[in-house]
Amino acid sequence: VNPIKERLKAYGNWKTHKRPTFRFYFVLVVTLVVMVSVSAASNFSSWIAYLGNIESQFEILLLLVGASFIIAFLLSAIVSRSLLRPIARLQDAMQSVTEGDFSVRMKENSRIEEVENINHSFNIMMKELCSNAEMQKDFMSNVSHEFKTPLSAIEGYATLLQDKTLTPEESEEYTREILSTTKLMSELVSNL
């Protein structure tokens, strides 16, 4: 059993229904831009022909192409901005994480399935990072505690050994305790 997959299951199954993809929205936008441009061009041509100010068909064509280009550019800019906004938000969130803010979460509801899945995966990644950071903090705390106790014992016995009035038996006992505690610390280091 893969422990990572088991932990990910704890976050719940992700939505299984399908929504339109980014590719669908892109094709839809390009189609709409072309349709609006052609429609605008035909409206402009009839309007220009009606005015009769321009006699040459070539001049009318240039005007129509220019108007179509401007309309297509404006519509594309508006639509691409709305499609790229989720990517910019994700980039901002990732920048916050690189600066040490692990509390960042992304909204998981989106009209675009890929964006929703990416945001969900980002949130799972952040939960795992927070969990790992907490485990690391606990680990360091436990290691620190496990080393402080034997070090205090060694320090205490070494201090007692400095007493000039010790009997040889007491001195030997304190030395044995220091060696025993040193072996214990060596085992702790090996286990780590």
Side-chain angles (χ1 to χ4, degrees), residues 4-13 127:
I4 294 175
K5 286 184 180 179
E6 290 301 316
R7 277 203 318 246
L8 292 179
K9 284 182 183 178
Y11 296 117
N13 291 329
K127 287 178 186 176

Side-chain angles (χ1 to χ4, degrees), residues 45 157 186:
S45 83
Y157 286 119
S186 179

Side-chain angles (χ1 to χ4, degrees), residues 85-99:
R85 188 174 295 148
I87 296 171
R89 285 186 189 131
L90 183 61
Q91 181 182 8
D92 291 342
M94 288 188 290
Q95 182 63 36
S96 295
V97 171
T98 61
E99 293 169 0

Side-chain angles (χ1 to χ4, degrees), residues 37-55:
S37 298
V38 169
S39 174
S42 68
N43 287 336
F44 279 133
S45 83
S46 63
W47 180 67
I48 291 171
Y50 177 74
L51 291 176
N53 291 337
I54 301 176
E55 296 175 8

Side-chain angles (χ1 to χ4, degrees), residues 124-186:
I124 289 175
M125 178 184 70
M126 292 310 302
K127 287 178 186 176
E128 287 296 314
L129 280 174
C130 288
S131 174
N132 288 343
E134 194 64 34
M135 285 187 337
Q136 183 180 14
K137 183 179 172 185
D138 290 344
F139 175 77
M140 293 306 293
S141 175
N142 289 338
V143 166
S144 174
H145 175 72
E146 291 295 324
F147 275 101
K148 279 183 182 179
T149 304
L151 283 174
S152 295
I154 290 172
E155 181 183 14
Y157 286 119
T159 303
L160 290 173
L161 282 173
Q162 291 177 339
D163 186 2
K164 302 291 183 205
T165 62
L166 284 179
T167 65
E169 292 82 22
E170 289 174 324
S171 179
E172 190 177 316
E173 178 186 343
Y174 297 158
T175 304
R176 270 195 313 270
E177 288 297 330
I178 288 175
L179 290 172
S180 171
T181 306
T182 304
K183 287 179 185 176
L184 174 66
M185 287 187 70
S186 179

Side-chain angles (χ1 to χ4, degrees), residues 16-79:
T16 56
H17 64 280
K18 293 287 184 181
R19 288 171 308 286
T21 63
F22 182 79
R23 186 178 308 141
F24 170 79
Y25 283 112
F26 184 76
V27 170
L28 180 67
V29 166
V30 169
T31 304
L32 288 174
V33 166
V34 170
M35 288 174 55
V36 168
S37 298
V38 169
S39 174
S42 68
N43 287 336
F44 279 133
S45 83
S46 63
W47 180 67
I48 291 171
Y50 177 74
L51 291 176
N53 291 337
I54 301 176
E55 296 175 8
S56 164
Q57 292 293 324
F58 181 71
E59 290 173 344
I60 292 173
L61 180 63
L62 283 178
L63 187 61
L64 292 176
V65 168
S68 297
F69 178 76
I70 291 171
I71 291 170
F73 178 78
L74 291 175
L75 285 175
S76 296
I78 291 168
V79 171

